[in-house]
């Protein structure tokens, strides 16, 4: 959906509204979630727990989404670059797709690794 909506907005030159609330919420989300992702990764590695480590990767994908949204909203609000928000969303869609593929592969490899132990 993100890919479709972003592409259609770019093709149709749909201008997003300026959202100071969105910018503020993303700043708060990043201030909270970046330390959470770091703590999840450290904990997952310390416990040798692939589920917690995988959760940290998902949290980082969420952080990338927040950063791209913040950049897109910020460029639209400050420079009137309407295309920045849907362009950033396309990047996030690619990152999320890669993370999903990686998680799928790891999920299929994990049972095989457990059988070898």
């Amino acid at each position: 959906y993100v890919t479709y909506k972003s592409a259609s907005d770019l093709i149709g030159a749909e201008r997003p509204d300026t959202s100071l609330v969105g910018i503020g919420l993303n700043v708060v989300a990043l201030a909270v979630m970046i330390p959470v992702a770091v703590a999840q990764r450290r904990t997952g590695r310390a416990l040798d727990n692939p589920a917690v480590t995988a959760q940290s990767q998902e949290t980082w994908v969420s952080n990338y989404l927040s950063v791209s949204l913040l950049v897109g909203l910020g460029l639209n609000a400050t420079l009137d670059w309407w295309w920045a928000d849907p362009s950033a969303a396309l990047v996030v869609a690619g990152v999320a797709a890669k993370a999903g593929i990686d998680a799928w592969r790891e999920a299929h490899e994990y049972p095989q690794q457990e059988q070898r132990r």
Side-chain angles (χ1 to χ4, degrees):
Y1 174 78
V2 172
T3 302
Y4 166 77
K5 182 65 175 146
S6 298
S8 66
D9 286 353
L10 285 168
I11 292 167
E14 299 274 337
R15 293 182 171 269
D17 294 330
T18 299
S19 175
L20 298 179
V21 172
I23 292 169
L25 286 173
N26 273 282
V27 168
V28 171
L30 286 169
V32 171
M33 294 309 293
I34 288 174
V36 167
V38 170
Q40 285 174 326
R41 179 162 289 163
R42 285 183 186 156
T43 302
R45 288 180 177 167
L47 297 174
D48 194 26
N49 186 319
V52 175
T53 304
Q55 181 59 43
S56 76
Q57 292 171 322
E58 296 304 318
T59 304
W60 278 114
V61 170
S62 178
N63 289 337
Y64 299 147
L65 176 61
S66 290
V67 167
S68 72
L69 181 61
L70 186 59
V71 168
L73 289 173
L75 290 172
N76 180 50
T78 59
L79 301 175
D80 198 31
W81 289 3
W82 64 268
W83 50 266
D85 188 41
S87 297
L90 284 174
V91 171
V92 168
V95 169
K98 182 182 179 325
I101 291 167
D102 290 347
W104 183 269
R105 286 181 182 152
E106 288 176 24
H108 282 40
E109 291 172 4
Y110 184 73
Q112 294 170 358
Q113 291 172 356
E114 287 297 309
Q115 289 175 353
R116 291 182 204 144
R117 289 184 184 184

